[in-house]
Amino acid sequence: MVAALTAAIVLTYAAFWFAPEGVQNSIDYAFALIPSRFDPASPDHFNAWWEAIGPVFGHTFLHAAWWHAGLNAFFFYATGRIPALRLGWARFLALYLFSAAIGALLFVALNWGEQTAAIGASDAVCGVFMAYFFSVRPSWRQSLAIPAVRNQIGVIVLVNVVLMGVLTEFGVFPIAWEGHLGGFIGGALAYIALEPRRRAGPWG
């Protein structure tokens, strides 16, 4: 599953790159996160509720440049294998999609009615980061009991949410920090809910 999602990130970017400009624009409009399309008062809003499903999940397979797709694919592959082994492929896929959805919805909520678009797998990758840290011990509680794990989570969140938020506000480097925050929250909640429960046998 990790290999399949990594390949999907890379191959969809390559396919988008070689597509005609008109096709690219249509794909962006259909699958990028554009908050105004979720606003019923906007002339750009979806014609039917199910049309919102495309951007909520599809934005993770759109990227602005090769380095954008490459970095997301690299960090996803590097951190996804351990939680995928712990959760199994189906629950890991559920965690990826849930992280993407929470990241998407938080971005839309905090930018309600705006036409600024967000794309990229960063929110889902942030969720996988949380799963990676939560899976270093047999349970997420044991993992969080380790000071080094808590410190690393703090640094990752600080860089990807706070620092990126400041850079975005000053127009230095536009990043959807809201999606990152939602991804961290979604990944943590999903891992807690999906983590395999150990059952004690007759000898403990």
Side-chain angles (χ1 to χ4, degrees), residues 166-175:
V166 171
L167 294 177
T168 299
E169 290 300 317
F170 282 95
V172 177
F173 196 58
I175 291 292

Side-chain angles (χ1 to χ4, degrees), residues 88-185:
W89 73 266
R91 283 180 290 185
F92 179 77
L93 177 60
L95 182 143
Y96 178 93
L97 295 176
F98 186 76
S99 301
I102 297 300
L105 295 177
L106 188 59
F107 174 81
V108 169
L110 296 181
N111 295 277
W112 189 253
E114 297 186 10
Q115 294 185 340
T116 302
I119 56 176
S122 300
D123 47 12
V125 174
C126 287
V128 173
F129 259 116
M130 291 299 289
Y132 172 80
F133 287 118
F134 279 20
S135 62
V136 298
R137 290 293 184 269
S139 76
W140 65 270
R141 290 185 178 87
Q142 292 174 342
S143 297
L144 288 182
I146 304 173
V149 170
R150 297 197 302 271
N151 292 338
Q152 290 179 54
I153 291 176
V155 171
I156 293 293
V157 173
L158 181 67
V159 171
N160 284 277
V161 177
V162 179
L163 179 58
M164 292 302 177
V166 171
L167 294 177
T168 299
E169 290 300 317
F170 282 95
V172 177
F173 196 58
I175 291 292
W177 61 269
E178 306 93 334
H180 291 183
L181 177 59
F184 285 126
I185 295 172

